[in-house]
Amino acid sequence: MDGKQAGKLIKILINQKQIDCEEGKTILEVCREAGIFIPTLCFDPRLEPYGGCRLCLVEVKGINRPLSSCTTPIQDGMEITTESENLTELRRTMLSLILSNHPNDCLRCEKAGDCSLQELAFIYDAAPARYEGERWDLPKREDNPFITFDPNKCILCGRCVNICKNVMLKGAIDMTGRGFHAKPDTAFGKPLSPENCLFCGQCVSTCPTGALVEKPSARTGRHLSVKKVKTTCSYCGTGCSFFLNVKHGKVTKVTSDYDSPVNKGNLCIKGRFGYEFIHHEDRIKTPLIKEGGKFREATWDEALDLIASRFGAIKEKYGPDAVGAFSSSRCTNEENYLVSKWVRTVLGSNNVDNCARV
Amino acid sequence: MAGLATSLGAGAASNSFDQISEADALLIFGSNTTEGHPVISIHVNKAIKNGARIIVADPRKIELVKWADVWLNLKPGSNIALLNGLVHVILKEGLYNRDFIEKRTEGFEDLKDAVEKYTPAHVHELTGVSPEKLVEAARIYAGAKNAMILYGLGVTEHQTGTENAMAVANLALVCGHIGRPATGIMALRGQNNVQGASDMGPAPAAFTGYQPVTDPKVREKFEKAWGVKLPSKPGLKSVEMLDEAKKGTFKGLFILGEDPAHTDPDISHIRQALASVEFLVVQDIFHTETTRFAHVVLPGASFAEKEGTFTNGERRVQRIRKAVEPVSGKAEWEVFCEIASRMGYQMKYNHPSEIMDEIASLAPIYGGISYARLDQGSIQWPCPTKDHPGTATLYQEMFSRPGGRARFIALEHKGSGEVPDADYPFVLITGRRREHYNNGSMTRRSKGIMEMFPEELLELSPADAAKLGIKHGEMVKVSSRRGEIKVKVRVFERSQEGNVFLAFHHQDVLTNLLTSPHRDPITGTPEYKSCAVRIEKL
Ligand code: SF4
Ligand code: SF4
Ligand code: SF4
Ligand code: FES
């Protein structure tokens, strides 16, 4: 982007490979850009790094304890190791601890296949600690139409609270309780409602586990079984990009496109939850022709023939100035172009306009 | 967008959304960004977090006022007075950018004369905004290193909409806050593809890419590409088509995916006009107020059912992709090809990408755009050639007007077409809500959204509620010179005394039965933002 000033270029060594990078970035950022994998749970590029999960640890030469890469800025000449026996062991231990207070019920979880915890447990071959302690057994919260919260799956990464407070400036939820009983919740445990929540689903979009999931799409298809089609929101002029999740020829869910330059995975209630209309029973399914004041179903051929002949006849009788079209800000560029072309070439006038110009 | 086009050259936002968070000051004018453009407001939030100074100019106490350094609570319809006042203060205090004005603009002397009388005291009378706030806002905006203006339909949906936009441009130009990243003017549009629909030239006086139909060279180019002789006379605007229809001289109309009988102002007039059309075709995905008048209704395909592109409010061309089959078997682009071909003009494309190739060959601003490139990533126009990266910031070197200079335009305060009086003592402002969209035909079909946001409520200030003896949740009759509706009241401090607010998403509260017939004479944009109404307890 042409707005940012590029930082000074410096050289660092990552896993013995020299990398040129811009000053001011964190170790994690540089590694992500260079395609070097570092596991994370509490990191989301939309948020200020929080440094809570300690999964992103790396070793830096000359420093005798591992550093969290998401919060540590690079320095000229740094020598960084992203994976070692010691680091792997540390990560496995931390994951085991999390799994010890987790339902580990991936078979039935909405998030399976797209869950950071599941993926990292697999990569690091982590199992719940052998001496299992107390586990949460808290009720699932389904008190609003959009978001389901299963506190038992929460790993306390803080991302939902952070995104709601610092990206949305809403603060609908916060960490409540202490120690073993800490969890994100609304003030006084009230249900999410228009009083306190935007239903933007940002919290869902950042949750690394199945703790926060979209309610309307429950049990309709998981990550690996759906086709994901990248597209652009059809509501407002922001033009957010997202993925339509499709299963059995139906749109089942909208998921974030974290790489979009426009919205970086963020969406609003309309983009994230406003897709039900696509398969609504009220959709007009066939052409309709009005006869005796009532519409009757018609075939495409019949309707298009009628349109062609009626427009032809009116133009013949009253001239091209008596016919025209309103085009639509809802339709595609290509369609708008064709409407304009049709009116000018076929109807023979310039009577073509956007309906409301707003 | 005619206003910005006249002043600067292009009828489009000058900068990009992701630059908003890098600005040192933001002037948010007539845009309830939080609700109208929720994801753009995330960029605004980031600017707030980064310490940007925030000025909100809006008659309503919108959510952003909470974060604002200054709230300019102007009376509806007094935009020009307020903007002239800001320029007045900036000139008087010597806060303007002399170098920029000299090198890159013309008409400065006219502007200077015109704003002379807009002293803070005079502006106070016209707008209700206190002199202190006006001066503070002027200092913040002019004093910032990089200041950006976001404006919404509160600027354009007035009878002086075009002039309002020019007044915004004047302000940015006196300070030289344009032509660099994190400055400029972002016009936030209502519908998803307003920008693209303007770019594509379904417009009575311009072909695709803003090329005038009256220019013989342009016509020649299109005639060669399309293989027919083209009319040189500009056509009728949509409002004019409807006016002519009512008179009986306009006979055949195709309405693609719009619902004027719900979303246009002064609906009674629209209904009569639509009823007078001899042959009306409406294509849409749901039945609407407008389909009722049609002789033939065609099923539309939703965005999930077709291939194509939309252009967003920062001139970014992006793909939409087919996820499921169209319920009716056809997308709109196919329908137009078939109608044209049945009328003896061969229109045939195998895929919308071929239509884009044709657009690129005819419209220089889209010249380098193709589906192959868009699959690698979106592109912001102007993108004249295949190897051009697209343009995040307009006007870095030149304005796109003849001579390359931006033009100051001297403007006078005119006010709204209809002002409150003894019979209709309130100003009705209309707008959108975050959870719903336009005629609501899509959002009202989401169970969750309807469960949480089931009905429209009239927002009334606590002071007015007390005066009228109306309580929260009570039903009232709202009437204007054109019609009346019944609606429940929400007593809400967001409204200032004397103003009430309604959105237009619900079919049972047809807000546009009330709205004003006044329009911007240049663009035809209706004055949705201000009309006079009476409120009676039921
Ligand atoms: S939906 Fe949005 S506003 Fe509501 S809790 Fe989640 S992030 Fe916060
Ligand atoms: S709900 Fe999800 S995002 Fe929030 S703290 Fe728990 S795991 Fe993290
Ligand atoms: S997700 Fe919301 S903000 Fe983004 S384009 Fe859609 S309606 Fe606009
Ligand atoms: S990702 Fe760095 S501490 Fe969690």
Side-chain angles (χ1 to χ4, degrees):
Chain A
M1 207 201 62
D2 56 4
K4 292 214 181 76
Q5 293 214 335
K8 203 175 93 196
L9 275 189
I10 55 178
K11 289 185 198 315
I12 59 172
L13 273 182
I14 303 179
N15 303 337
Q16 266 125 51
K17 218 179 105 206
Q18 186 176 310
I19 295 198
D20 298 334
C21 48
E22 269 172 46
E23 202 169 24
K25 292 191 168 161
T26 62
I27 297 175
L28 180 65
E29 281 177 294
V30 172
C31 288
R32 289 250 158 126
E33 280 165 27
I36 298 163
F37 172 75
I38 296 179
T40 58
L41 280 174
C42 70
F43 177 79
D44 180 325
R46 293 174 288 178
L47 305 171
E48 291 292 318
Y50 159 65
C53 76
R54 311 281 296 162
L55 240 79
C56 66
L57 296 179
V58 294
E59 288 161 356
V60 175
K61 196 172 166 191
I63 298 176
N64 58 10
R65 59 190 166 83
L67 300 177
S68 57
S69 62
C70 67
T71 53
T72 311
I74 48 162
Q75 278 168 24
D76 204 8
M78 245 182 188
E79 289 179 37
I80 298 157
T81 308
T82 62
E83 202 68 73
S84 68
E85 243 172 71
N86 182 34
L87 287 175
T88 305
E89 198 43 49
L90 278 172
R91 286 178 178 137
R92 186 178 298 133
T93 309
M94 278 177 294
L95 288 165
S96 293
L97 259 165
I98 294 173
L99 295 174
S100 301
N101 184 20
H102 196 82
N104 304 329
D105 187 16
C106 304
L107 284 177
R108 295 188 298 161
C109 182
E110 285 286 336
K111 199 66 185 255
D114 192 22
C115 170
S116 304
L117 181 61
Q118 189 189 42
E119 182 65 12
L120 293 181
F122 169 74
I123 293 176
Y124 290 100
D125 195 18
R130 197 159 311 156
Y131 305 103
E132 288 190 25
E134 198 187 340
R135 264 175 213 268
W136 285 344
D137 185 15
L138 299 164
K140 227 186 196 178
R141 297 276 297 269
E142 296 188 279
D143 49 22
N144 72 81
F146 300 110
I147 297 168
T148 300
F149 177 47
D150 183 348
N152 303 307
K153 291 180 182 166
C154 174
I155 59 167
L156 299 176
C157 69
R159 283 162 66 168
C160 55
V161 167
N162 194 344
I163 206 163
C164 188
K165 192 186 290 173
N166 296 316
V167 174
M168 303 316 297
L169 301 187
K170 193 68 189 173
I173 41 179
D174 207 342
M175 282 298 169
T176 60
R178 283 173 178 277
F180 183 74
H181 299 288
K183 63 171 168 35
D185 200 350
T186 53
F188 310 112
K190 272 197 188 156
L192 290 177
S193 77
E195 303 286 304
N196 54 22
C197 169
L198 305 167
F199 298 114
C200 59
Q202 303 293 82
C203 47
V204 177
S205 80
T206 193
C207 183
T209 72
L212 285 165
V213 295
E214 299 88 345
K215 186 171 173 194
S217 52
R219 320 229 80 83
T220 57
R222 293 188 284 193
H223 185 65
L224 296 173
S225 73
V226 296
K227 184 171 83 179
K228 295 203 171 191
V229 181
K230 182 168 160 163
T231 193
T232 307
C233 181
S234 73
Y235 283 110
C236 89
T238 311
C240 295
S241 162
F242 54 61
F243 292 97
L244 289 173
N245 292 207
V246 183
K247 189 162 179 177
H248 303 315
K250 290 261 184 310
V251 173
T252 55
K253 179 155 83 167
V254 163
T255 48
S256 284
D257 173 10
Y258 299 96
D259 299 325
S260 157
V262 176
N263 55 307
K264 303 186 172 69
N266 299 315
L267 292 171
C268 79
I269 180 172
K270 296 190 292 295
R272 195 180 299 282
F273 295 115
Y275 55 84
E276 244 171 289
F277 78 92
I278 298 170
H279 302 295
H280 199 278
E281 58 188 16
D282 292 350
R283 285 283 304 272
I284 303 172
K285 299 182 190 71
T286 66
L288 303 167
I289 293 175
K290 199 182 266 169
E291 269 173 8
K294 279 213 179 74
F295 286 118
R296 67 161 173 87
E297 292 189 358
T299 63
W300 274 109
D301 269 332
E302 191 187 2
L304 296 179
D305 278 340
L306 179 65
I307 292 169
S309 72
R310 290 290 280 134
F311 271 102
I314 293 174
K315 178 186 163 188
E316 199 65 36
K317 189 161 163 203
Y318 303 102
D321 288 350
V323 279
F326 293 179
S327 193
S328 172
S329 313
R330 317 299 329 284
C331 283
T332 65
N333 287 331
E334 291 74 8
E335 286 156 354
N336 276 286
Y337 171 80
L338 289 190
V339 174
S340 147
K341 183 174 176 180
W342 173 65
V343 171
R344 298 186 211 274
T345 57
V346 181
L347 299 186
S349 78
N350 284 316
N351 293 341
V352 59
D353 200 0
N354 276 304
C355 187
R357 299 156 165 270
V358 284
Chain B
M1 299 302 274
L4 291 187
T6 311
S7 298
L8 308 172
S14 65
N15 289 57
S16 302
F17 297 144
D18 68 350
Q19 299 173 2
I20 293 172
S21 60
E22 292 159 31
D24 307 298
L26 293 175
L27 168 57
I28 298 164
F29 208 113
S31 158
N32 185 3
T33 324
T34 327
E35 295 212 34
H37 298 87
V39 170
I40 296 177
S41 79
I42 292 177
H43 294 282
V44 174
N45 291 350
K46 209 164 157 194
I48 294 169
K49 281 254 151 197
N50 291 345
R53 312 284 309 270
I54 307 290
I55 308 160
V56 171
D58 205 297
R60 300 172 69 217
K61 193 170 180 185
I62 54 174
E63 276 175 74
L64 277 170
V65 169
K66 184 164 138 203
W67 308 100
D69 294 275
V70 190
W71 173 34
L72 305 172
N73 55 334
L74 73 169
K75 287 182 202 153
S78 64
N79 294 355
I80 294 178
L82 183 68
L83 288 156
N84 278 355
L86 289 168
V87 174
H88 177 100
V89 174
I90 288 167
L91 296 185
K92 280 282 150 5
E93 300 204 352
L95 303 171
Y96 57 104
N97 187 335
R98 187 164 316 176
D99 195 45
F100 184 90
I101 294 171
E102 242 164 57
K103 292 207 179 91
R104 303 207 48 191
T105 68
E106 59 193 41
F108 181 57
E109 292 305 317
D110 299 346
L111 177 77
K112 234 165 109 179
D113 294 345
V115 301
E116 181 61 37
K117 67 169 182 275
Y118 290 88
T119 60
H122 185 45
V123 170
H124 182 202
E125 278 163 34
L126 298 173
T127 65
V129 173
S130 76
E132 297 73 41
K133 283 190 183 177
L134 185 77
V135 170
E136 194 189 348
R139 288 182 186 156
I140 292 174
Y141 178 77
K145 185 159 161 272
N146 295 313
M148 208 167 182
I149 302 174
L150 313 187
Y151 80 69
L153 300 175
V155 164
T156 40
E157 287 179 356
H158 285 285
Q159 65 166 356
T160 55
T162 302
E163 295 193 342
N164 290 347
M166 293 171 177
V168 170
N170 286 343
L171 174 64
L173 290 168
V174 273
C175 298
H177 281 325
I178 190 159
R180 283 174 288 122
T183 67
I185 302 171
M186 303 300 288
L188 307 180
R189 326 287 302 256
Q191 303 188 44
N192 63 315
N193 200 29
V194 208
Q195 187 64 54
S198 321
D199 298 346
M200 289 305 115
F207 291 114
T208 314
Y210 306 98
Q211 305 176 79
V213 297
T214 46
D215 182 336
K217 276 223 196 64
V218 168
R219 253 190 347 263
E220 199 184 308
K221 173 167 87 175
F222 279 87
E223 283 172 350
K224 211 166 133 216
W226 291 349
V228 289
K229 191 100 187 94
L230 294 170
S232 59
K233 186 178 73 168
L236 301 171
K237 292 176 200 156
S238 53
V239 266
E240 293 166 340
M241 286 185 244
L242 292 176
D243 289 348
E244 293 299 316
K246 204 166 147 188
K247 281 187 233 154
T249 50
F250 186 82
K251 305 282 186 183
L253 178 61
F254 194 114
I255 299 181
L256 174 64
E258 294 280 359
D259 186 10
H262 184 148
T263 60
D264 269 27
D266 194 4
I267 288 177
S268 319
H269 165 74
I270 306 286
R271 285 177 178 165
Q272 287 163 23
L274 291 173
S276 326
V277 176
E278 195 173 307
F279 187 63
L280 176 67
V281 182
V282 180
Q283 184 163 25
D284 214 319
I285 59 178
F286 291 110
H287 280 289
T288 63
E289 292 291 311
T290 303
T291 54
R292 296 201 279 136
F293 295 91
H295 300 95
V296 177
V297 173
L298 296 178
S302 78
F303 80 114
E305 296 160 10
K306 59 195 177 189
E307 305 286 342
T309 57
F310 290 153
T311 303
N312 79 352
E314 50 173 4
R315 298 167 279 104
R316 186 184 294 279
V317 186
Q318 306 191 92
R319 284 277 274 118
I320 63 162
R321 294 183 178 83
K322 182 154 123 181
V324 294
E325 289 302 318
V327 274
S328 69
K330 279 188 212 296
E332 286 84 340
W333 63 272
E334 297 171 292
V335 171
F336 276 92
C337 291
E338 291 199 33
I339 296 174
S341 302
R342 274 164 219 253
M343 294 180 77
Y345 180 89
Q346 277 312 305
M347 225 189 240
K348 187 169 161 35
Y349 305 92
N350 296 307
H351 189 271
S353 66
E354 299 176 6
I355 308 174
M356 182 49 84
D357 292 341
E358 189 173 312
I359 294 166
S361 74
L362 287 166
I365 53 173
Y366 278 70
I369 294 178
S370 65
Y371 276 32
R373 277 190 75 184
L374 291 176
D375 284 339
Q376 306 302 309
S378 52
I379 303 173
Q380 287 173 279
W381 69 253
C383 172
T385 57
K386 296 266 171 255
D387 50 11
H388 191 287
T391 311
T393 309
L394 292 181
Y395 316 131
Q396 305 224 53
E397 314 286 331
M398 284 219 300
F399 288 95
S400 42
R401 294 183 65 252
R405 282 171 179 265
R407 167 135 203 105
F408 284 112
I409 312 223
L411 301 161
E412 292 294 343
H413 166 77
K414 292 193 188 78
S416 298
E418 191 178 72
V419 290
D421 55 22
D423 293 335
Y424 298 96
F426 286 91
V427 178
L428 169 67
I429 304 174
T430 74
R432 292 177 155 83
R433 302 199 184 276
R434 172 176 22 237
E435 299 79 13
H436 283 286
Y437 184 77
N438 270 30
N439 68 359
S441 66
M442 290 151 71
T443 44
R444 282 188 287 108
R445 286 183 173 88
S446 157
K447 273 194 228 93
I449 293 179
M450 280 314 273
E451 190 179 325
M452 287 285 139
F453 309 95
E455 58 185 357
E456 182 54 30
L457 300 170
L458 176 84
E459 291 177 11
L460 182 70
S461 75
D464 288 327
K467 234 185 282 169
L468 296 169
I470 295 170
K471 281 198 279 305
H472 200 82
E474 279 183 331
M475 285 298 276
V476 292
K477 184 170 92 181
V478 187
S479 39
S480 77
R481 293 194 168 77
R482 292 151 297 276
E484 57 177 62
I485 58 170
K486 292 193 176 93
V487 63
K488 248 191 228 165
V489 163
R490 174 178 191 195
V491 177
F492 198 23
E493 50 292 342
R494 188 165 294 174
S495 278
Q496 294 195 82
E497 220 177 315
N499 298 342
V500 294
F501 178 84
L502 273 176
F504 60 96
H505 308 299
H506 290 259
Q507 232 159 347
D508 54 347
V509 179
L510 278 179
T511 302
N512 284 316
L513 283 169
L514 305 171
T515 42
S516 152
H518 293 277
R519 288 172 181 277
D520 181 315
I522 302 163
T523 58
T525 302
E527 187 155 64
Y528 288 112
K529 293 296 179 195
S530 172
C531 73
V533 297
R534 178 170 58 224
I535 292 161
E536 289 154 290
K537 205 168 149 167
L538 281 177

